Amino acid sequence: MPIPYLMARFHQLGLEAYIHNFTLHYPLGKPVDMTGRNVYAILRAPRTASMEALVLNIPYRPLQSIYPSTLPGLALAMSMVKFFRRQRYWAKDIILLISEHEQLGVQAWLEAYHGVSCGTTGVLDSGDLEARGGAIQAAITLEIQSHRIDHIDVKVSGLNGQLPNLDLVNLIHRLCGKEGIKHTFHNVEAKVSQVSKLPRSLIHSPAPDENRTQSF
């Protein structure tokens, strides 16, 4: 992972940037220790005291990975952060997490964030975090593998039956339908894909009042 570049880029964007170290002690067969590092940046909410947060995760995959590259998703995330910084009325912290070793890196970061340990004791050493944001309300993982895409596939995942808020999933599908973007759910084409099928309140929503505090 190009950690020096990511740290420099995050600081250039005006974000708090930190490195998270973790270690997996492989429990089966010959003892093997696998280390990993995540990079995360925090964009603090300008009008609140870091009470809540949203996480945007981009898995980093090296060139020798068996999975497709996610560098286009990282480039998109950087552009999104530029847009986020101009929003003065948002009430949640935005945490950008660049994780290593796929879901293992995310699990280690979440355990360190919440100060808990899951699974067998001593297998995953999640380490410590230098800084935290607010209570995590939702998280989205971006896996964009090309600069040109023809559809968006939404996948819902969670452990032990814990799934994300359905409102977030519906919002993504409705936004795709409004913008005319082909979208699927677990590789199955979504039923609602035309703007005409959306509620009129979503299609013809009034412009927000500039003097009104907005939350998302």
Side-chain angles (χ1 to χ4, degrees):
M1 181 183 296
I3 291 180
Y5 167 78
L6 292 174
M7 295 291 289
R9 185 59 176 158
F10 287 148
H11 287 146
Q12 184 181 14
L13 292 172
L15 306 180
E16 302 176 20
Y18 306 94
I19 299 174
H20 168 234
N21 298 292
F22 62 93
T23 304
L24 173 68
H25 306 287
Y26 191 68
L28 304 176
K30 183 179 179 180
V32 177
D33 291 344
M34 182 175 66
T35 60
R37 292 192 294 179
N38 299 321
V39 176
Y40 68 102
I42 303 176
L43 175 61
R44 300 289 181 182
R47 300 180 65 88
T48 62
S50 296
M51 299 299 294
E52 297 180 340
L54 299 177
V55 177
L56 182 62
N57 168 236
I58 296 89
Y60 175 78
R61 294 169 180 168
L63 296 178
Q64 63 271 23
S65 174
I66 62 175
Y67 300 106
S69 172
T70 55
L71 292 181
L74 180 58
L76 176 61
M78 295 291 185
S79 298
M80 293 172 64
V81 168
K82 292 182 180 180
F83 171 77
F84 293 162
R85 282 192 54 80
R86 299 196 298 267
Q87 311 308 309
R88 300 301 180 187
Y89 298 99
W90 286 2
K92 291 180 175 61
D93 294 339
I94 305 295
I95 302 176
L96 183 60
L97 171 64
I98 314 300
S99 58
E100 195 173 29
H101 301 313
E102 302 296 328
Q103 294 181 343
L104 178 62
V106 177
Q107 179 180 344
W109 186 84
L110 286 174
E111 289 187 6
Y113 192 93
H114 295 293
V116 298
S117 179
C118 302
T120 305
T121 303
V123 174
L124 179 60
D125 181 4
S126 57
D128 298 316
L129 298 183
E130 296 183 48
R132 293 174 173 81
I136 297 176
Q137 303 300 305
I140 297 178
T141 296
L142 285 180
E143 293 190 20
I144 301 178
Q145 302 159 5
S146 173
H147 293 285
R148 299 179 64 88
I149 60 176
D150 55 9
H151 74 284
I152 294 177
D153 183 48
V154 179
K155 294 183 178 180
V156 179
S157 63
L159 296 176
N160 302 323
Q162 297 180 355
L163 299 178
N165 193 319
L166 186 59
D167 291 340
L168 179 61
V169 178
N170 291 337
L171 175 63
I172 295 174
H173 286 298
R174 290 181 181 275
L175 288 176
C176 289
K178 181 179 180 181
E179 299 297 332
I181 301 174
K182 181 181 178 181
H183 50 108
T184 59
F185 181 74
H186 286 268
N187 294 318
V188 177
E189 188 169 358
K191 298 296 183 181
V192 180
S193 59
Q194 299 177 356
V195 179
S196 59
K197 297 182 180 180
L198 296 177
R200 295 181 60 86
S201 59
L202 180 63
I203 301 175
H204 303 289
S205 57
D209 186 354
E210 294 182 354
N211 297 322
R212 184 184 305 165
T213 301
Q214 302 178 46
S215 303
F216 70 99

